Amino acid sequence: MLTILIASLLGGCGYNEEIRETEIKGKLVVPKAAATRNVKATTDPLDLSTVPLQDPRLLGPIYIGAYAAIDENSRPYPIPFQGPVIDGEEGDTFPYGGTGVGRFDFACYKFLACKVTTGRFADYADMMDYFTNVLQNPIKDNQGEILNSEVEFEQQCLDYYYEVASDNMAFIGPSDFKEEGDNYVAEFELFHTTFVPGMAVWGFMDAPQISADKLDLNGTFSTCSASGGRTVYKYDQTYDEGGAYTDILNRPTQYIDADDWVSSGTIVGDDPSTEITLNLDIPIISEQ
Amino acid sequence: MSILALLLTACDHDGVDFFVKDTTVPGVVNLGDLEPIPMADVQNNSWVFNGLEGLLFGQLGQPDTYAEVGGATFQFKGTGGKVCLIMDPEMVYWNQGIELDNNEFLYEDRLTDDGDLDMFAGLSAYYTGSPGVDIGTFELPYTDPLGEEHFIDFQECNRDYYPSGRATYETCELDTVNRAGISFTVLLQTFMLPIDDGVLNFGVAVMDGPCEPDGAAFRKSECTIQMEDGMGEDVGNAGLEEAFCAGEINAYCEAHLGEPNAPCSEGYIPAR
């Protein structure tokens, strides 16, 4: 009896379910130039001059998808192959799967809705420094007052998320990137992706808006819907947490604009376990 | 012993009440071509469509097998502008309310006389069903460069909400600009038949204009098409939808309580 049981169990291990979905791992290479932006040179409101600044916190969310093919012809930069264009809208790219390096997260104040990407900020003070000194758009609390205390920031977050410690705050913590020469490098994994031999992996980075004359818009992203995410009702306040649009991988060209970076893409071979390298190597100079 | 008695009582119920009755009414029908009602007629008419030329009533029974999808189709020609479709399955649905004050719904809706249809529309060229034989969709396959098949939905209904539920009307607005004279197909897919008789009666109309025309008397509501349970004839429930739309369903129910096939029953009425 025991022999039959063991034999049947072993037989089960040999069964191939022929599931096409798999995990594809890869390395994302982002040139430091993608993290270099022209920011306002001084705090003088009349001085609109800018200086280049390199800072990995300037890397926005990076969207990575698996597609049937790369289209080199339709735009000045490579994009995923599109399906039929219907009623003049961008065609659906029908991705096989996707992931991101960094995602939008709500960092406790409505001012920060659609402005914070995970894997970019070490702690509360780091985020305050970025908004104050890099973007010159300091964080305001929900009453519109400039936030000056990281303790107050943390207290607001603990209260907002009903937490007793900041360990679960996804918007602060270790960076997604490691420095390697002239690049920032991150690992990524396309979870539960339909594996089709010969498919292409492609991605783009949504860079934050930065200008010297519209400081209050600094730090916003085109892939974030201000009315997305959870709606907060708290005492006399009503606002949305903001969240990524739901069709970014299906219609990426709707969201790519100036200062973003796109990948030339890479082809996945016949073996899904082979780790791929994706270079985010093409800057978008202007809206094209 | 008492448990045994309880079990024997339970055996007394055969559960037939929960099944739709068999009928000879077909489960898949094609209603043919429908002429859009001119906007002038809509504007001159009251917003109740009864008696208006262009309003069509139909009925559906069970498909031949439980695995088969049932429904009705009809066709109309594009007018070159916006077209509004309105469809109303029998009869009226409401939730009984439990609040006492100003309660419009003290009586229970009799659910067994209600059915549900879901409306879809698009170019006839994209419809995959055989009208009157089997039900299809407006989804067509697209094959990507690696040979993978994806489906694209060419259904074109622009509607307020989808789908409406039991016994509730649905509207669908189509833009037929540059497609005058081109055939469109409308699919009314059976979601649920009334349990009491197994036949779902419905009314449907195509209006030559938008669903919210400026200055027109037309209003989308449960009362735009009335008496669909009798295919436009009074089978004992005339005035039900009018009372529903006027917020006077309690008075209607009180007056008709206990009548055969009355659409409402006493249910739970809180003590006043």
Side-chain angles (χ1 to χ4, degrees):
Chain A
M1 180 62 86
L2 188 63
T3 315
I4 294 170
L5 181 65
I6 292 170
S8 64
L9 286 174
L10 286 173
C13 292
Y15 180 69
N16 181 2
E17 293 180 276
E18 297 183 0
I19 294 172
R20 301 175 70 201
E21 285 72 26
T22 187
E23 277 67 59
I24 295 169
K25 293 181 180 176
K27 188 169 89 167
L28 175 71
V29 180
V30 183
K32 286 184 175 173
T36 305
R37 300 289 299 275
N38 290 322
V39 299
K40 196 166 183 295
T42 68
T43 55
D44 179 356
L46 298 177
D47 178 10
L48 299 182
S49 62
T50 59
V51 291
L53 176 74
Q54 186 199 110
D55 190 325
R57 293 176 296 184
L58 288 165
L59 297 172
I62 295 161
Y63 303 94
I64 300 169
Y67 300 96
I70 301 293
D71 173 3
E72 306 271 1
N73 303 319
S74 299
R75 297 282 172 121
Y77 48 88
I79 58 170
F81 203 93
Q82 296 180 26
V85 175
I86 300 166
D87 290 337
E89 286 188 8
E90 301 279 353
D92 195 323
T93 59
F94 298 105
Y96 301 139
T99 190
V101 175
R103 61 170 174 84
F104 295 120
D105 198 22
F106 184 68
C108 317
Y109 291 110
K110 65 180 176 184
F111 170 87
L112 291 171
C114 278
K115 293 193 182 92
V116 173
T117 309
T118 60
R120 306 294 185 267
F121 304 102
D123 50 35
Y124 296 102
D126 191 32
M127 195 185 299
M128 290 171 66
D129 170 69
Y130 170 74
F131 279 91
T132 302
N133 299 319
V134 175
L135 300 181
Q136 294 200 23
N137 186 16
I139 299 170
K140 282 90 177 171
D141 65 18
N142 288 350
Q143 283 68 47
E145 302 294 326
I146 290 177
L147 186 68
N148 292 310
S149 160
E150 62 194 79
V151 176
E152 184 184 336
F153 194 171
E154 180 173 28
Q155 190 56 50
Q156 163 72 10
C157 288
L158 297 179
D159 179 54
Y160 186 85
Y161 284 112
Y162 299 101
E163 293 278 2
V164 292
S166 292
D167 306 287
N168 290 335
M169 304 298 170
F171 48 83
I172 53 174
S175 172
D176 282 344
F177 297 96
K178 288 179 187 162
E179 212 171 331
E180 281 186 13
D182 290 335
N183 300 307
Y184 292 109
V185 174
E187 291 180 352
F188 68 86
E189 188 166 2
L190 290 150
F191 295 102
H192 208 67
T193 296
T194 304
F195 177 70
V196 184
M199 69 185 186
V201 173
W202 175 93
F204 78 100
M205 180 189 78
D206 182 12
Q209 174 166 334
I210 295 178
S211 71
D213 58 341
K214 295 175 184 166
L215 296 176
D216 57 333
L217 292 179
N218 280 359
T220 55
F221 293 94
S222 63
T223 55
C224 191
S225 167
S227 60
R230 197 166 65 112
T231 301
V232 180
Y233 301 96
K234 206 159 191 177
Y235 300 113
D236 61 340
Q237 296 171 17
T238 304
Y239 54 91
D240 297 313
E241 290 186 344
Y245 287 101
T246 53
D247 61 348
I248 296 169
L249 288 175
N250 293 72
R251 293 181 169 83
T253 47
Q254 286 189 349
Y255 300 98
I256 295 171
D257 55 14
D259 299 318
D260 292 348
W261 283 63
V262 305
S263 156
S264 49
T266 185
I267 302 297
V268 181
D270 293 337
D271 182 5
S273 65
T274 305
E275 191 163 295
I276 57 176
T277 298
L278 187 67
N279 291 299
L280 204 67
D281 47 359
I282 301 172
I284 305 299
I285 307 301
S286 60
E287 292 183 28
Q288 298 167 77
Chain B
M1 182 62 85
S2 53
I3 290 174
L4 188 61
L6 198 65
L7 287 172
L8 285 173
T9 311
C11 291
D12 192 33
H13 188 73
D14 59 11
V16 169
D17 290 350
F18 295 113
F19 288 90
V20 172
K21 306 292 177 291
D22 287 331
T23 68
T24 55
V25 175
V28 179
V29 297
N30 185 48
L31 304 171
D33 286 340
L34 218 61
E35 195 68 36
I37 301 170
M39 187 52 104
D41 287 2
V42 173
Q43 285 174 325
N44 293 335
N45 203 56
S46 78
W47 53 276
V48 176
F49 270 22
N50 283 19
L52 207 58
E53 198 175 337
L55 171 65
L56 186 73
F57 291 102
Q59 55 182 192
L60 285 163
Q62 278 196 73
D64 292 338
T65 66
Y66 281 111
E68 197 178 331
V69 178
T73 48
F74 65 88
Q75 294 75 36
F76 72 92
K77 297 280 195 300
T79 60
K82 288 196 171 166
V83 167
C84 180
L85 310 168
I86 182 161
M87 176 275 298
D88 194 352
E90 66 171 321
M91 205 186 238
V92 173
Y93 173 76
W94 68 87
N95 264 323
Q96 188 185 18
I98 56 168
E99 288 178 8
L100 190 58
D101 295 335
N102 300 318
N103 191 342
E104 203 177 310
F105 303 108
L106 286 173
Y107 292 86
E108 262 185 5
D109 176 23
R110 192 162 67 83
L111 301 180
T112 54
D113 62 6
D114 296 332
D116 189 3
L117 292 173
D118 293 329
M119 181 160 62
F120 307 91
L123 284 171
S124 295
Y126 293 152
Y127 183 62
T128 61
S130 301
V133 179
D134 63 25
I135 294 301
T137 69
F138 293 93
E139 289 185 348
L140 293 176
Y142 153 70
T143 306
D144 73 22
L146 292 182
E148 293 293 307
E149 208 168 66
H150 310 271
F151 281 85
I152 300 176
D153 192 357
F154 289 98
Q155 198 272 137
E156 295 186 39
C157 273
N158 178 19
R159 48 183 132 222
D160 298 338
Y161 49 86
Y162 164 80
S164 69
R166 181 196 296 267
T168 307
Y169 77 100
E170 280 185 21
T171 60
C172 156
E173 190 175 86
L174 292 169
D175 194 345
T176 69
V177 170
N178 297 328
R179 296 185 288 181
I182 305 292
S183 178
F184 286 78
T185 289
V186 181
L187 165 64
L188 311 175
Q189 188 171 310
T190 306
F191 186 81
M192 184 184 68
L193 296 171
I195 292 176
D196 62 353
D197 60 2
V199 177
L200 172 55
N201 294 349
F202 60 90
V204 66
V206 184
M207 194 176 86
D208 181 8
C211 285
E212 295 193 1
D214 294 333
F218 172 72
R219 278 192 288 151
K220 298 175 288 185
S221 91
E222 185 62 44
C223 291
T224 308
I225 298 172
Q226 293 188 14
M227 289 188 288
E228 65 273 5
D229 58 318
M231 308 268 285
E233 303 291 327
D234 178 13
V235 289
N237 295 313
L240 167 70
E241 286 159 309
E242 216 168 335
F244 177 82
C245 294
E248 294 167 356
I249 200 73
N250 288 342
Y252 181 92
C253 287
E254 274 171 24
H256 293 80
L257 213 56
E259 290 178 4
N261 299 323
C264 31
S265 59
E266 199 161 1
Y268 168 73
I269 302 177
R272 290 174 189 267

